[in-house]
Amino acid sequence: MEFGFGAEDEAFRAEARAWLAEHLTGEFATAVGRGGPGSEHGGGAQRRAWERELGRGGWIGLGWDAGAGSGAGVGAGAPAGASASASAGGCVGAYGNRRATLTQQVVWAEEYARVRAPGRYGHIGENLLAPTLLAYGSREQRDEFLPPIARGETLWCQGYSEPGAGSDLAGVRTRAERDDAGDFLVTGQKIWTSLAHEADWCFVLARTGGGTRPHEGLSFLLVPMDQPGRVEVRPIRQLTGTSEFNEVFFDGARARAAHVVGGVGNGWRVAMGLLGFERGVSTLVQQIGFAEELAAVVREAVAGGAVDDPVVRDRLVRQWGELRVMRWNALRTLGSAGAGAGVGAAGLVGVGSPSVAKLLWGRWHQRLGELAMAVRGASAAVGPRDWCVDAPYELDPLQRLFLFSRADTVYGGSDEVQRNIIAERVLGLPREARGPR
């Protein structure tokens, strides 16, 4: 499937490049390169301001209007609260974002990553919740939640994993009980919740009752985080010394009945659809970051002489070749949605495509971290520090890469689960025997 860039795409690229060059200056100049994996904790206030800057430029939510999923009326007109002047250049969509084809979404992602623009604080709302609302939400939900995301004003976190229910989401135990007003009171614990300490809202998969099988009786609720005494966030300190992941405890946290996406009891369908969106255009952004990390490892190998070792050279070439394969696979997957399709369509291409992408990049990134340490030898165990200054020990980027990437084959769905999905849902092999819960 062809996936190329035409004249309009290149004009869009020039516009994106010029906007980034103009705006990554002044107060945002020091945010360049900050906020990547393993360092998402850095520059919080500055990066929240950057989200609003992106929103004013209309760069959040590209393509929302083109791919509305099953939601009627998207793109038909601007709802209350949408910005009519969010974009100084491109055509403005219904929610204050720029209209953009799928190839233009890729162009923006590439340009953003190439200039090492700040790691996005709002990516969970933009890339996960928004496409989900477009596909499964009501018009009222889209009108309420999409414009603030497009303006960079509200941040979201994802309430899926729990202790004992990570990759196996059907095992969630968090419950949501109706109160006398018909709303839901959410009680339970979520874990590995990225940026929960910064988020304004959380989309939560919880049990609302009904059904005889584990994945039945689940609902997808939108829960405000600002509920003192009812929502508690506890940071989880990681190997890298950072704590962008959190535990979240809900103790009767309120979710309005109008904020159940896809209807009560349909949470499994909505949750699985969201996981498909997770591996869309954003995979190409990720790969550009991977290329920069690989280049840094190559420079380290050359500077330290490790490149003279034929085994090391072979590993470097393999990493480069596999990265190219990942890019072609991502472009093929996006291309099969059809050029010009919106993010809704791009996210749901083939039940096995997200699992294949996850298997490819997870282990690749781990091997890159291992290679980064191998080219350094024994010196990889220590990092730069001024021993005359009493300051906390800081990891350098390659050490952080190695430590953080240990989690790559677990988060976002473990490798074992991805292989089961491909085996059972794509190849039609017998289901794996599962013991009692």
Side-chain angles (χ1 to χ4, degrees):
M1 182 69 68
E2 289 293 328
F3 191 100
F5 300 111
E8 291 185 1
D9 300 323
E10 294 305 328
F12 191 85
R13 185 186 302 279
E15 182 183 359
R17 188 172 293 176
W19 189 92
L20 288 166
E22 178 183 353
H23 290 265
L24 280 175
T25 56
E27 63 175 310
F28 300 121
T30 56
V32 172
R34 302 187 71 180
S39 60
E40 292 176 346
H41 62 293
Q46 187 183 41
R47 286 166 57 210
R48 287 206 71 153
W50 175 246
E51 290 292 319
R52 295 189 290 272
E53 188 76 4
L54 289 171
R56 284 189 288 270
W59 293 106
I60 299 176
L62 301 183
W64 282 356
D65 302 89
S70 60
V74 176
S83 168
S85 59
S87 169
C91 185
V92 181
Y95 297 101
N97 54 300
R98 294 170 185 247
R99 289 196 174 100
T101 65
L102 178 58
T103 50
Q104 288 168 347
Q105 293 171 51
V106 173
V107 164
W108 166 252
E110 289 182 338
E111 292 305 314
Y112 193 93
R114 284 196 176 111
V115 296
R116 300 176 65 242
R120 293 291 310 282
Y121 251 16
H123 68 93
I124 294 175
E126 178 185 8
N127 298 324
L128 298 186
L129 179 68
T132 302
L133 291 181
L134 289 171
Y136 303 103
S138 66
R139 180 61 187 256
E140 291 74 20
Q141 289 168 347
R142 295 194 295 266
D143 289 356
E144 179 177 359
F145 293 109
L146 294 186
I149 295 174
R151 294 194 297 266
E153 294 174 354
T154 58
L155 300 183
W156 287 79
C157 61
Q158 179 176 7
Y160 272 21
S161 295
E162 300 179 6
S167 295
D168 184 10
L169 283 177
V172 299
R173 297 180 181 179
T174 295
R175 301 198 63 84
E177 307 282 353
R178 282 194 184 271
D179 65 4
D180 293 340
D183 291 336
F184 288 90
L185 300 181
V186 181
T187 301
Q189 178 186 358
K190 297 294 181 179
I191 198 167
W192 309 121
T193 311
S194 299
L195 301 179
H197 59 297
E198 295 282 354
D200 306 296
W201 288 80
C202 182
F203 49 87
V204 177
L205 190 63
R207 296 202 170 277
T208 50
T212 58
R213 298 195 295 175
H215 67 273
E216 296 174 343
L218 295 169
S219 296
F220 189 101
L221 303 102
L222 309 180
V223 182
M225 294 291 283
D226 186 14
Q227 299 190 53
R230 297 190 176 192
V231 179
E232 180 185 358
V233 178
R234 298 180 188 173
I236 299 173
R237 187 173 174 85
Q238 299 139 216
L239 282 173
T240 54
T242 61
S243 53
E244 57 264 44
F245 295 124
N246 303 270
E247 293 178 286
V248 181
F249 296 87
F250 298 100
D251 186 9
R254 183 176 299 276
R256 289 175 49 198
H259 291 166
V260 179
V261 179
V264 176
N266 292 322
W268 184 254
R269 175 172 173 262
V270 178
M272 293 301 100
L274 181 144
L275 291 177
F277 296 125
E278 193 170 11
R279 321 261 200 264
V281 171
S282 60
T283 60
L284 290 170
V285 184
Q286 180 187 55
Q287 290 166 20
I288 294 171
F290 286 171
E292 291 182 352
E293 290 176 336
L294 176 58
V297 174
V298 171
R299 289 193 296 270
E300 188 80 19
V302 172
V307 73
D308 296 331
D309 184 337
V311 174
V312 170
R313 286 202 306 274
D314 179 70
R315 291 175 66 182
L316 289 168
V317 172
R318 281 179 176 271
Q319 292 288 143
W320 179 86
E322 290 170 3
L323 184 59
R324 299 299 298 173
V325 170
M326 282 195 287
R327 175 174 173 79
W328 292 328
N329 180 70
L331 290 174
R332 181 183 62 179
T333 301
L334 291 171
S336 65
V343 70
L348 295 174
V349 178
V351 68
S353 297
S355 296
V356 170
K358 178 60 168 60
L359 284 172
L360 284 173
W361 72 255
R363 190 66 188 96
W364 182 92
H365 202 220
Q366 277 191 351
R367 289 196 300 271
L368 182 64
E370 294 162 0
L371 182 55
M373 299 299 97
V375 300
R376 282 190 176 175
S379 65
V382 295
R385 180 179 179 182
D386 185 348
W387 295 99
C388 298
V389 177
D390 185 16
Y393 183 88
E394 290 288 341
L395 300 172
D396 66 31
L398 293 185
Q399 290 172 322
R400 190 179 298 117
L401 162 66
F402 169 70
L403 291 175
F404 191 84
S405 65
R406 307 321 298 166
D408 283 342
T409 53
V410 178
Y411 73 79
S414 69
D415 280 12
E416 292 79 5
V417 168
Q418 304 307 327
R419 291 190 180 98
N420 280 349
I421 291 172
I422 294 170
E424 297 171 7
R425 303 183 192 177
V426 179
L427 302 179
L429 298 177
R431 290 179 62 83
E432 180 187 35
R434 292 175 172 85
R437 293 187 180 278

